[in-house]
Amino acid sequence: MAIREIRTVPDPILKEVSQPVEKVDDDLRALMDDMLDTMYAADGIGLAAIQIGVPKRVIVMDLAKPDEEPAPKFFVNPVLSDPSDTLQPYEEGCLSVPTVFDEVERPDRIRVQSMDYDGNQVDEIAEGMYAVCIQHEMDHLEGVLFIDYLSRLKRNRAVQKVKKVEKAKDKDAA
Ligand code: GNR
Ligand code: NI
């Protein structure tokens, strides 16, 4: 288990389309373990493999509240369908766009079919925060970030802000 570096904008890898996983084996489980460690260390609720530079269709998530038991979830080759007509706005953030938050509208209910940590097929309906998060993570698999839904002005500002924040961080570390 290891904490990996989270890529931030404008890293071009974040625009890559991730490739399907052929099988869920111990190597893939080691990747999912690292992703979960990395997500928890960064206080995130979800993470796509591309955010640590691995272009595979793998997502980890934990929507448990701080006072609840951890509830990690794993998604391999997830497929979304049956989106609701009703949209819900939600103030989103992203570990790859740190310090930036803005509202995005998405369907409030979707169906997700995927494989889990053990390679078993899972089919469920996601609503509310779960629906928001799974759609945010699935966008990462297509190289799409939440800031791509904002105006060009807001998106450019967001990237500039992250560049500045990351530069300050590098300085601190040096
Ligand atoms: O930690 C995260 N919080 C969050 C808040 C609102 C909507 C989506 C998210 S996902 C994000 C972690 C992340 O960047 N996943 O890709
Ligand atoms: Ni994200």
Side-chain angles (χ1 to χ4, degrees), residues 3 27 33 43 51 65 82 91 98 101 105 114 124-125 131 134 147-148 162 166 168 170:
I3 294 170
D27 281 349
D33 291 344
D43 278 328
Q51 292 180 275
K65 300 192 183 71
D82 305 350
E91 181 98 342
F101 299 87
E105 284 197 344
S114 101
E124 46 186 11
I125 303 291
I134 192 84
I147 54 170
D148 294 331
V162 173
E166 290 297 307
D170 290 346

Side-chain angles (χ1 to χ4, degrees), residues 44-47 51 90-95 129 132 136-137 140:
I45 57 172
L47 192 78
Q51 292 180 275
Y90 198 92
E91 181 98 342
E92 297 196 16
C94 181
L95 294 172
M129 185 65 206
V132 171
H136 173 114
E137 302 310 337
H140 277 299

